[in-house]
PDB file of all heavy atoms in Angstrom:
ATOM      1  N   TYR A1278      -8.416  16.197  29.680  1.00 93.00           N
ATOM      2  CA  TYR A1278      -7.195  16.890  29.276  1.00 93.00           C
ATOM      3  C   TYR A1278      -7.263  17.361  27.821  1.00 93.00           C
ATOM      4  O   TYR A1278      -6.881  18.491  27.521  1.00 93.00           O
ATOM      5  CB  TYR A1278      -5.950  16.000  29.479  1.00 93.00           C
ATOM      6  CG  TYR A1278      -5.334  16.111  30.841  1.00 93.00           C
ATOM      7  CD1 TYR A1278      -5.457  15.088  31.751  1.00 93.00           C
ATOM      8  CD2 TYR A1278      -4.605  17.230  31.216  1.00 93.00           C
ATOM      9  CE1 TYR A1278      -4.879  15.165  33.024  1.00 93.00           C
ATOM     10  CE2 TYR A1278      -4.038  17.338  32.485  1.00 93.00           C
ATOM     11  CZ  TYR A1278      -4.174  16.304  33.367  1.00 93.00           C
ATOM     12  OH  TYR A1278      -3.615  16.404  34.608  1.00 93.00           O
ATOM     13  N   TYR A1279      -7.741  16.522  26.944  1.00 93.00           N
ATOM     14  CA  TYR A1279      -7.724  16.880  25.526  1.00 93.00           C
ATOM     15  C   TYR A1279      -8.809  17.922  25.183  1.00 93.00           C
ATOM     16  O   TYR A1279      -8.547  18.864  24.427  1.00 93.00           O
ATOM     17  CB  TYR A1279      -7.910  15.631  24.655  1.00 93.00           C
ATOM     18  CG  TYR A1279      -7.533  15.891  23.212  1.00 93.00           C
ATOM     19  CD1 TYR A1279      -6.234  15.674  22.785  1.00 93.00           C
ATOM     20  CD2 TYR A1279      -8.444  16.394  22.304  1.00 93.00           C
ATOM     21  CE1 TYR A1279      -5.855  15.933  21.478  1.00 93.00           C
ATOM     22  CE2 TYR A1279      -8.070  16.671  21.001  1.00 93.00           C
ATOM     23  CZ  TYR A1279      -6.781  16.434  20.588  1.00 93.00           C
ATOM     24  OH  TYR A1279      -6.423  16.710  19.302  1.00 93.00           O
ATOM     25  N   HIS A1280      -9.997  17.758  25.721  1.00 94.00           N
ATOM     26  CA  HIS A1280     -11.115  18.587  25.300  1.00 94.00           C
ATOM     27  C   HIS A1280     -11.489  19.716  26.257  1.00 94.00           C
ATOM     28  O   HIS A1280     -12.165  20.668  25.848  1.00 94.00           O
ATOM     29  CB  HIS A1280     -12.365  17.713  25.077  1.00 94.00           C
ATOM     30  CG  HIS A1280     -12.199  16.767  23.945  1.00 94.00           C
ATOM     31  ND1 HIS A1280     -12.340  17.139  22.632  1.00 94.00           N
ATOM     32  CD2 HIS A1280     -11.843  15.454  23.926  1.00 94.00           C
ATOM     33  CE1 HIS A1280     -12.113  16.089  21.845  1.00 94.00           C
ATOM     34  NE2 HIS A1280     -11.803  15.050  22.610  1.00 94.00           N
ATOM     35  N   HIS A1281     -11.082  19.648  27.516  1.00 92.00           N
ATOM     36  CA  HIS A1281     -11.563  20.621  28.491  1.00 92.00           C
ATOM     37  C   HIS A1281     -10.482  21.273  29.344  1.00 92.00           C
ATOM     38  O   HIS A1281     -10.791  21.918  30.338  1.00 92.00           O
ATOM     39  CB  HIS A1281     -12.609  19.962  29.406  1.00 92.00           C
ATOM     40  CG  HIS A1281     -13.764  19.387  28.666  1.00 92.00           C
ATOM     41  ND1 HIS A1281     -14.614  20.169  27.910  1.00 92.00           N
ATOM     42  CD2 HIS A1281     -14.208  18.117  28.558  1.00 92.00           C
ATOM     43  CE1 HIS A1281     -15.551  19.404  27.365  1.00 92.00           C
ATOM     44  NE2 HIS A1281     -15.304  18.156  27.733  1.00 92.00           N
ATOM     45  N   PHE A1282      -9.232  21.116  28.955  1.00 91.00           N
ATOM     46  CA  PHE A1282      -8.167  21.626  29.807  1.00 91.00           C
ATOM     47  C   PHE A1282      -8.232  23.149  29.963  1.00 91.00           C
ATOM     48  O   PHE A1282      -7.966  23.682  31.043  1.00 91.00           O
ATOM     49  CB  PHE A1282      -6.787  21.190  29.274  1.00 91.00           C
ATOM     50  CG  PHE A1282      -5.682  21.462  30.254  1.00 91.00           C
ATOM     51  CD1 PHE A1282      -5.621  20.775  31.463  1.00 91.00           C
ATOM     52  CD2 PHE A1282      -4.697  22.386  29.979  1.00 91.00           C
ATOM     53  CE1 PHE A1282      -4.607  21.015  32.379  1.00 91.00           C
ATOM     54  CE2 PHE A1282      -3.685  22.621  30.887  1.00 91.00           C
ATOM     55  CZ  PHE A1282      -3.634  21.945  32.089  1.00 91.00           C
ATOM     56  N   LYS A1283      -8.620  23.852  28.908  1.00 92.00           N
ATOM     57  CA  LYS A1283      -8.713  25.319  29.005  1.00 92.00           C
ATOM     58  C   LYS A1283      -9.775  25.737  30.029  1.00 92.00           C
ATOM     59  O   LYS A1283      -9.567  26.672  30.792  1.00 92.00           O
ATOM     60  CB  LYS A1283      -9.023  25.930  27.628  1.00 92.00           C
ATOM     61  CG  LYS A1283      -7.826  25.916  26.709  1.00 92.00           C
ATOM     62  CD  LYS A1283      -8.134  26.563  25.380  1.00 92.00           C
ATOM     63  CE  LYS A1283      -6.887  26.471  24.499  1.00 92.00           C
ATOM     64  NZ  LYS A1283      -7.130  26.941  23.144  1.00 92.00           N
ATOM     65  N   GLU A1284     -10.904  25.020  30.042  1.00 90.00           N
ATOM     66  CA  GLU A1284     -11.952  25.341  31.022  1.00 90.00           C
ATOM     67  C   GLU A1284     -11.467  25.052  32.447  1.00 90.00           C
ATOM     68  O   GLU A1284     -11.763  25.786  33.377  1.00 90.00           O
ATOM     69  CB  GLU A1284     -13.229  24.528  30.747  1.00 90.00           C
ATOM     70  CG  GLU A1284     -13.976  24.943  29.500  1.00 90.00           C
ATOM     71  CD  GLU A1284     -13.664  24.051  28.301  1.00 90.00           C
ATOM     72  OE1 GLU A1284     -12.545  23.477  28.245  1.00 90.00           O
ATOM     73  OE2 GLU A1284     -14.534  23.925  27.439  1.00 90.00           O
ATOM     74  N   VAL A1285     -10.722  23.956  32.596  1.00 87.00           N
ATOM     75  CA  VAL A1285     -10.172  23.593  33.901  1.00 87.00           C
ATOM     76  C   VAL A1285      -9.193  24.687  34.362  1.00 87.00           C
ATOM     77  O   VAL A1285      -9.231  25.130  35.499  1.00 87.00           O
ATOM     78  CB  VAL A1285      -9.512  22.208  33.864  1.00 87.00           C
ATOM     79  CG1 VAL A1285      -8.727  21.919  35.137  1.00 87.00           C
ATOM     80  CG2 VAL A1285     -10.549  21.124  33.629  1.00 87.00           C
ATOM     81  N   GLN A1286      -8.331  25.138  33.450  1.00 87.00           N
ATOM     82  CA  GLN A1286      -7.383  26.218  33.781  1.00 87.00           C
ATOM     83  C   GLN A1286      -8.119  27.490  34.146  1.00 87.00           C
ATOM     84  O   GLN A1286      -7.775  28.152  35.145  1.00 87.00           O
ATOM     85  CB  GLN A1286      -6.462  26.492  32.600  1.00 87.00           C
ATOM     86  CG  GLN A1286      -5.373  25.478  32.401  1.00 87.00           C
ATOM     87  CD  GLN A1286      -4.488  25.815  31.215  1.00 87.00           C
ATOM     88  OE1 GLN A1286      -4.986  26.121  30.127  1.00 87.00           O
ATOM     89  NE2 GLN A1286      -3.182  25.758  31.429  1.00 87.00           N
ATOM     90  N   LYS A1287      -9.109  27.837  33.365  1.00 87.00           N
ATOM     91  CA  LYS A1287      -9.886  29.058  33.598  1.00 87.00           C
ATOM     92  C   LYS A1287     -10.554  29.029  34.975  1.00 87.00           C
ATOM     93  O   LYS A1287     -10.680  30.063  35.641  1.00 87.00           O
ATOM     94  CB  LYS A1287     -10.944  29.223  32.508  1.00 87.00           C
ATOM     95  CG  LYS A1287     -11.683  30.514  32.532  1.00 87.00           C
ATOM     96  CD  LYS A1287     -12.634  30.597  31.356  1.00 87.00           C
ATOM     97  CE  LYS A1287     -13.473  31.864  31.432  1.00 87.00           C
ATOM     98  NZ  LYS A1287     -14.431  31.922  30.342  1.00 87.00           N
ATOM     99  N   ALA A1288     -10.949  27.868  35.420  1.00 82.00           N
ATOM    100  CA  ALA A1288     -11.598  27.705  36.724  1.00 82.00           C
ATOM    101  C   ALA A1288     -10.590  27.630  37.873  1.00 82.00           C
ATOM    102  O   ALA A1288     -10.977  27.548  39.030  1.00 82.00           O
ATOM    103  CB  ALA A1288     -12.467  26.447  36.723  1.00 82.00           C
ATOM    104  N   GLY A1289      -9.309  27.632  37.557  1.00 83.00           N
ATOM    105  CA  GLY A1289      -8.291  27.571  38.585  1.00 83.00           C
ATOM    106  C   GLY A1289      -8.127  26.192  39.193  1.00 83.00           C
ATOM    107  O   GLY A1289      -7.639  26.053  40.312  1.00 83.00           O
ATOM    108  N   ALA A1290      -8.517  25.159  38.448  1.00 84.00           N
ATOM    109  CA  ALA A1290      -8.496  23.800  38.989  1.00 84.00           C
ATOM    110  C   ALA A1290      -7.420  22.926  38.357  1.00 84.00           C
ATOM    111  O   ALA A1290      -7.400  21.712  38.558  1.00 84.00           O
ATOM    112  CB  ALA A1290      -9.863  23.157  38.790  1.00 84.00           C
ATOM    113  N   GLU A1291      -6.507  23.531  37.618  1.00 85.00           N
ATOM    114  CA  GLU A1291      -5.473  22.771  36.930  1.00 85.00           C
ATOM    115  C   GLU A1291      -4.602  21.978  37.903  1.00 85.00           C
ATOM    116  O   GLU A1291      -4.312  20.790  37.670  1.00 85.00           O
ATOM    117  CB  GLU A1291      -4.594  23.735  36.127  1.00 85.00           C
ATOM    118  CG  GLU A1291      -3.426  23.100  35.427  1.00 85.00           C
ATOM    119  CD  GLU A1291      -2.553  24.103  34.699  1.00 85.00           C
ATOM    120  OE1 GLU A1291      -2.881  25.318  34.695  1.00 85.00           O
ATOM    121  OE2 GLU A1291      -1.532  23.680  34.160  1.00 85.00           O
ATOM    122  N   ALA A1292      -4.202  22.587  39.013  1.00 86.00           N
ATOM    123  CA  ALA A1292      -3.334  21.892  39.980  1.00 86.00           C
ATOM    124  C   ALA A1292      -4.054  20.679  40.561  1.00 86.00           C
ATOM    125  O   ALA A1292      -3.451  19.627  40.744  1.00 86.00           O
ATOM    126  CB  ALA A1292      -2.912  22.849  41.086  1.00 86.00           C
ATOM    127  N   HIS A1293      -5.338  20.806  40.841  1.00 85.00           N
ATOM    128  CA  HIS A1293      -6.108  19.686  41.380  1.00 85.00           C
ATOM    129  C   HIS A1293      -6.199  18.552  40.372  1.00 85.00           C
ATOM    130  O   HIS A1293      -5.977  17.378  40.712  1.00 85.00           O
ATOM    131  CB  HIS A1293      -7.497  20.128  41.798  1.00 85.00           C
ATOM    132  CG  HIS A1293      -8.298  19.060  42.434  1.00 85.00           C
ATOM    133  ND1 HIS A1293      -8.100  18.648  43.741  1.00 85.00           N
ATOM    134  CD2 HIS A1293      -9.266  18.244  41.940  1.00 85.00           C
ATOM    135  CE1 HIS A1293      -8.920  17.661  44.022  1.00 85.00           C
ATOM    136  NE2 HIS A1293      -9.637  17.395  42.953  1.00 85.00           N
ATOM    137  N   LEU A1294      -6.513  18.890  39.131  1.00 87.00           N
ATOM    138  CA  LEU A1294      -6.583  17.866  38.067  1.00 87.00           C
ATOM    139  C   LEU A1294      -5.231  17.183  37.909  1.00 87.00           C
ATOM    140  O   LEU A1294      -5.171  15.945  37.864  1.00 87.00           O
ATOM    141  CB  LEU A1294      -7.000  18.525  36.744  1.00 87.00           C
ATOM    142  CG  LEU A1294      -6.945  17.618  35.507  1.00 87.00           C
ATOM    143  CD1 LEU A1294      -7.927  16.469  35.621  1.00 87.00           C
ATOM    144  CD2 LEU A1294      -7.221  18.448  34.245  1.00 87.00           C
ATOM    145  N   ASN A1295      -4.163  17.946  37.847  1.00 89.00           N
ATOM    146  CA  ASN A1295      -2.831  17.359  37.690  1.00 89.00           C
ATOM    147  C   ASN A1295      -2.462  16.460  38.858  1.00 89.00           C
ATOM    148  O   ASN A1295      -1.876  15.383  38.669  1.00 89.00           O
ATOM    149  CB  ASN A1295      -1.778  18.449  37.514  1.00 89.00           C
ATOM    150  CG  ASN A1295      -1.895  19.161  36.183  1.00 89.00           C
ATOM    151  OD1 ASN A1295      -2.480  18.647  35.228  1.00 89.00           O
ATOM    152  ND2 ASN A1295      -1.334  20.358  36.116  1.00 89.00           N
ATOM    153  N   CYS A1296      -2.799  16.870  40.053  1.00 87.00           N
ATOM    154  CA  CYS A1296      -2.493  16.062  41.241  1.00 87.00           C
ATOM    155  C   CYS A1296      -3.235  14.724  41.200  1.00 87.00           C
ATOM    156  O   CYS A1296      -2.668  13.680  41.443  1.00 87.00           O
ATOM    157  CB  CYS A1296      -2.856  16.833  42.499  1.00 87.00           C
ATOM    158  SG  CYS A1296      -2.475  15.955  44.021  1.00 87.00           S
ATOM    159  N   CYS A1297      -4.527  14.767  40.863  1.00 88.00           N
ATOM    160  CA  CYS A1297      -5.319  13.534  40.780  1.00 88.00           C
ATOM    161  C   CYS A1297      -4.763  12.605  39.690  1.00 88.00           C
ATOM    162  O   CYS A1297      -4.665  11.393  39.898  1.00 88.00           O
ATOM    163  CB  CYS A1297      -6.787  13.853  40.483  1.00 88.00           C
ATOM    164  SG  CYS A1297      -7.659  14.616  41.874  1.00 88.00           S
ATOM    165  N   PHE A1298      -4.401  13.191  38.557  1.00 91.00           N
ATOM    166  CA  PHE A1298      -3.891  12.374  37.448  1.00 91.00           C
ATOM    167  C   PHE A1298      -2.535  11.776  37.796  1.00 91.00           C
ATOM    168  O   PHE A1298      -2.262  10.610  37.496  1.00 91.00           O
ATOM    169  CB  PHE A1298      -3.825  13.195  36.174  1.00 91.00           C
ATOM    170  CG  PHE A1298      -3.495  12.376  34.956  1.00 91.00           C
ATOM    171  CD1 PHE A1298      -4.245  11.250  34.628  1.00 91.00           C
ATOM    172  CD2 PHE A1298      -2.452  12.736  34.118  1.00 91.00           C
ATOM    173  CE1 PHE A1298      -3.950  10.489  33.500  1.00 91.00           C
ATOM    174  CE2 PHE A1298      -2.161  11.974  32.984  1.00 91.00           C
ATOM    175  CZ  PHE A1298      -2.909  10.863  32.683  1.00 91.00           C
ATOM    176  N   LYS A1299      -1.664  12.545  38.457  1.00 90.00           N
ATOM    177  CA  LYS A1299      -0.374  11.996  38.879  1.00 90.00           C
ATOM    178  C   LYS A1299      -0.578  10.838  39.849  1.00 90.00           C
ATOM    179  O   LYS A1299       0.103   9.806  39.745  1.00 90.00           O
ATOM    180  CB  LYS A1299       0.479  13.081  39.542  1.00 90.00           C
ATOM    181  CG  LYS A1299       1.141  14.040  38.597  1.00 90.00           C
ATOM    182  CD  LYS A1299       1.970  15.033  39.420  1.00 90.00           C
ATOM    183  CE  LYS A1299       2.495  16.129  38.544  1.00 90.00           C
ATOM    184  NZ  LYS A1299       3.223  17.152  39.362  1.00 90.00           N
ATOM    185  N   HIS A1300      -1.478  11.023  40.790  1.00 89.00           N
ATOM    186  CA  HIS A1300      -1.779   9.965  41.756  1.00 89.00           C
ATOM    187  C   HIS A1300      -2.219   8.705  41.008  1.00 89.00           C
ATOM    188  O   HIS A1300      -1.757   7.603  41.302  1.00 89.00           O
ATOM    189  CB  HIS A1300      -2.868  10.470  42.718  1.00 89.00           C
ATOM    190  CG  HIS A1300      -3.172   9.556  43.834  1.00 89.00           C
ATOM    191  ND1 HIS A1300      -4.424   9.475  44.404  1.00 89.00           N
ATOM    192  CD2 HIS A1300      -2.422   8.659  44.523  1.00 89.00           C
ATOM    193  CE1 HIS A1300      -4.415   8.598  45.387  1.00 89.00           C
ATOM    194  NE2 HIS A1300      -3.212   8.083  45.481  1.00 89.00           N
ATOM    195  N   PHE A1301      -3.104   8.888  40.039  1.00 92.00           N
ATOM    196  CA  PHE A1301      -3.580   7.780  39.213  1.00 92.00           C
ATOM    197  C   PHE A1301      -2.420   7.096  38.485  1.00 92.00           C
ATOM    198  O   PHE A1301      -2.262   5.881  38.528  1.00 92.00           O
ATOM    199  CB  PHE A1301      -4.625   8.303  38.219  1.00 92.00           C
ATOM    200  CG  PHE A1301      -5.101   7.265  37.246  1.00 92.00           C
ATOM    201  CD1 PHE A1301      -6.118   6.390  37.572  1.00 92.00           C
ATOM    202  CD2 PHE A1301      -4.527   7.162  35.979  1.00 92.00           C
ATOM    203  CE1 PHE A1301      -6.563   5.425  36.686  1.00 92.00           C
ATOM    204  CE2 PHE A1301      -4.956   6.196  35.079  1.00 92.00           C
ATOM    205  CZ  PHE A1301      -5.983   5.328  35.426  1.00 92.00           C
TER     206      PHE A1301
END
Side-chain angles (χ1 to χ4, degrees):
Y1278 271 108
Y1279 196 91
H1280 295 280
H1281 302 299
F1282 191 66
K1283 286 182 181 174
E1284 290 98 331
V1285 170
Q1286 284 180 312
K1287 187 176 176 183
E1291 177 183 357
H1293 183 77
L1294 172 64
N1295 289 341
C1296 182
C1297 290
F1298 188 54
K1299 282 181 188 176
H1300 187 211
F1301 175 84

